[in-house]
Amino acid sequence: MSLNALSIAEARDRLRRREITAVDLTMACMAAMDAAGELNAFVHPTPEIALAQARAADARLAAGEAPDLCGIPLGIKDLFCTQGVPTQAASNILRGFRPEYESTVTRRLFADGAVMLGKLNMDEFAMGSSNETSCYGNAVNPWRRNDDTAPLTPGGSSGGSAAAVAADLCLGATGTDTGGSIRQPAAFTGIVGIKPTYGRVSRWGIVAFASSLDQAGPMTRTVRDAAIMLRAMAGHDPMDSTSADLPVPDYEAALTGDIRGSRIGIPREYRMDGMPAEIEALWTRGAEMLRDAGAEIVDISLPHTSYALPAYYVIAPAEASSNLARYDGVRYGHRAKLGPGEGIVAMYERTRAEGFGREVQRRVMIGTYVLSAGFYDAYYNRARKVRTLIRRDFEDAFAAGIDAILTPATPSAAFGLGEKADADPVEMYLNDVFTVTVNLAGLPGIAVPAGLDRQGLPLGLQLIGRPWGEADLLNHAHVLERAAEFVAKPARWW
């Protein structure tokens, strides 16, 4: 096995035994990156930083002071501010922006000795489900349909993160999830992605999309790797007023593989009209796997599920409209050139028209509309009330003794680039149908690869956990992962 194909856990153990060096591991990943330009996953490689961090990690390893991520090469989504390194949120409006500070997540990862290979592609300002709204161009899924060379989406918005991990360009990557942007691309590329409880991971230094929904998390090849990486990323941060002051468990130690006596909920409202038979069969098989491991499978009701997508696509654009008002060309990023006699209002208008892509413009306009005086109560306030009802549905299920909830991760396997981007945007938004409830309720959710469809593409299942119950959720996901025995890899074509 080539070094870049190791899991985080395997690499950690081999580094500690001094069988390999962090420099060798980093060089292997950099060579894989250089050979994978067709995937367009890495958009700002940082080889000098990576090698310097790898050499420092080797020194720590030699001294016997090696945290779990010491020497582990990672990719960083372009939404995380990285000091002195371009951070554009995949948008032309932030072209040339190099932060003077480090996000809390990346600072914690680097403190643990992690190596940054570079910044990863994504949908512009994390608004998208297919990584087709990026100013860098499309990220491409390393998977392809049987006997078909058509390029597929890696999902979005963390599409570059998903593609890089699935193609063995890095051992893990950071992602963010506002409505499914970690879990959907993880399912589309056959990897693991966890969105923690809102407040578990600091949002400080992450470019904001919708502040009450955004949450960062790891994207990795295995559940164990996700547990290792999440422990490093999580924790209280006084710089983030929504950060929870709670101890961070040892998530890896929680992977006992014992879920006997657990009660797994199967929500009847997630059985959507027109659900593909393969998704239905995978869901049924996942429930059987958990039952065989000693869990009790319970039918439950989450009655307000059908209102989740409409509520999400009012709340998220409203918050985006507010957050993106700061991009005006005054202090940083793109500034439009003005003609004679044009003033500051013209600069604002032209800067935003030139800097924001079509999908961002669409969502900003929707958000501004639902927050306007005549429509605030009719749309935004009503959506907030629906959000409360959705959260209460989950609270009732957990109060009734449910330990985790099993659902599909996505309504389909990965689709072709260009197949949906130019169609009705609502069709694209429907990709989030199984994931947005988790963000609206602030709960932890994880996507686990569980099988292949008839075209040879990966399909994932989602487990939803109790608030702050990431340790228990990861253990259930670990059991599901072992039972599914998903070991398929994309055939190399790039």
Side-chain angles (χ1 to χ4, degrees):
M1 178 187 289
S2 56
L3 294 183
N4 54 296
L6 293 172
S7 70
I8 290 175
E10 291 166 342
R12 172 194 63 186
D13 295 343
R14 291 186 65 179
L15 284 165
R16 286 176 171 174
R17 292 195 298 265
R18 309 299 289 154
E19 295 174 6
I20 60 174
T21 68
V23 169
D24 289 342
L25 186 58
T26 299
M27 292 289 285
C29 289
M30 287 164 55
M33 289 167 55
D34 290 342
E38 290 174 88
L39 299 180
N40 198 27
F42 278 91
V43 291
H44 294 295
T46 54
E48 297 87 358
I49 292 172
L51 287 173
Q53 290 175 330
R55 286 190 283 267
D58 279 330
R60 291 178 74 176
L61 286 157
E65 302 170 4
D68 284 338
L69 289 178
C70 193
I72 302 298
L74 303 177
I76 305 298
K77 187 177 180 179
D78 194 38
L79 210 63
F80 292 78
C81 287
T82 41
Q83 187 172 5
V85 176
T87 300
Q88 285 185 228
S91 179
N92 283 319
I93 207 162
L94 277 173
R95 189 174 298 280
F97 176 54
R98 294 173 182 262
E100 296 297 322
Y101 53 90
E102 198 73 52
S103 76
T104 297
V105 165
T106 51
R107 180 170 49 77
R108 284 182 168 152
L109 292 173
F110 299 156
D112 263 15
V115 173
M116 179 174 70
L117 295 169
K119 305 297 284 292
L120 291 160
N121 206 347
M122 55 175 282
D123 278 297
E124 184 181 6
F125 281 102
M127 298 181 197
S129 301
S130 63
N131 215 135
E132 293 175 272
T133 68
S134 170
C135 72
Y136 309 117
N138 304 336
V140 180
N141 196 327
W143 290 83
R144 285 187 165 174
R145 302 182 182 115
N146 295 333
D147 305 317
D148 189 346
T149 60
L152 305 178
T153 174
S157 64
S158 307
S161 300
V165 173
D168 296 338
L169 311 186
C170 55
L171 275 61
T174 62
T176 61
D177 193 310
T178 305
S181 288
I182 286 174
R183 292 159 289 150
Q184 183 247 28
F188 276 4
T189 56
I191 66 170
V192 173
I194 180 169
K195 183 206 87 74
T197 309
Y198 182 81
R200 176 62 89 181
V201 175
S202 173
R203 293 182 298 109
W204 194 84
I206 300 173
V207 179
F209 165 13
S211 300
S212 75
L213 300 164
D214 299 342
Q215 189 65 188
M219 301 178 74
T220 59
R221 296 197 193 108
T222 69
V223 173
R224 184 173 297 278
D225 287 0
I228 293 168
M229 200 168 157
L230 179 60
R231 186 184 183 192
M233 294 171 68
H236 179 243
D237 178 14
M239 300 289 285
D240 176 3
S241 63
T242 63
S243 174
D245 192 2
L246 294 171
V248 177
D250 184 341
Y251 295 122
E252 188 180 12
L255 304 181
T256 64
D258 185 1
I259 61 166
R260 288 172 296 180
S262 287
R263 303 182 78 227
I264 308 297
I266 307 293
R268 63 179 68 103
E269 290 80 10
Y270 281 56
R271 298 188 187 281
M272 305 290 184
D273 290 340
M275 179 187 288
E278 289 173 309
I279 302 287
E280 181 84 37
L282 183 76
W283 192 10
T284 300
R285 193 159 75 248
E288 290 169 353
M289 292 174 191
L290 295 172
R291 183 185 288 115
D292 291 344
E296 178 188 356
I297 306 301
V298 183
D299 285 329
I300 64 170
S301 177
L302 299 171
H304 295 93
T305 294
S306 62
Y307 303 108
L309 267 179
Y312 174 84
Y313 278 103
V314 169
I315 292 170
E319 296 187 10
S321 171
S322 176
N323 278 324
L324 271 60
R326 72 192 70 176
Y327 303 109
D328 53 17
V330 174
R331 289 177 179 267
Y332 53 83
H334 174 69
R335 177 185 291 183
K337 292 190 171 113
L338 300 179
E342 291 186 299
I344 193 166
V345 173
M347 187 193 76
Y348 292 158
E349 292 172 348
R350 196 171 304 164
T351 294
R352 289 168 176 161
E354 293 174 0
F356 289 142
R358 287 180 60 191
E359 182 60 29
V360 172
Q361 291 178 15
R362 178 185 291 121
R363 297 200 197 191
V364 167
M365 286 189 289
I366 291 170
T368 303
Y369 179 80
V370 301
L371 290 175
S372 60
F375 303 100
Y376 186 91
D377 287 331
Y379 292 105
Y380 184 66
N381 257 349
R382 185 172 296 180
R384 290 174 59 215
K385 291 173 183 175
V386 169
R387 180 181 190 172
T388 300
L389 294 174
I390 289 168
R391 185 184 298 118
R392 193 172 300 155
D393 287 346
F394 284 103
E395 290 171 353
D396 291 345
F398 293 131
I402 296 298
D403 296 292
I405 295 167
L406 179 70
T407 79
T410 59
S412 71
F415 50 88
L417 289 166
E419 285 182 10
K420 296 186 179 184
D422 297 325
D424 180 354
V426 174
E427 185 180 351
M428 185 71 81
Y429 299 164
L430 290 172
N431 279 286
D432 302 330
V433 65
F434 297 125
T435 53
V436 295
T437 53
V438 177
N439 300 80
L440 289 168
L443 299 171
I446 188 169
V448 180
L452 298 174
D453 74 353
R454 66 182 180 277
Q455 300 182 95
L457 298 178
L459 296 172
L461 289 171
Q462 175 180 230
L463 281 162
I464 303 168
R466 295 170 175 267
W468 318 112
E470 290 86 2
D472 194 43
L473 178 66
L474 284 158
N475 189 39
H476 282 80
H478 180 55
V479 170
L480 187 62
E481 176 186 57
R482 288 195 311 185
E485 296 182 325
F486 184 91
V487 294
K489 299 285 287 184
R492 186 186 171 100
W493 54 265
W494 57 91

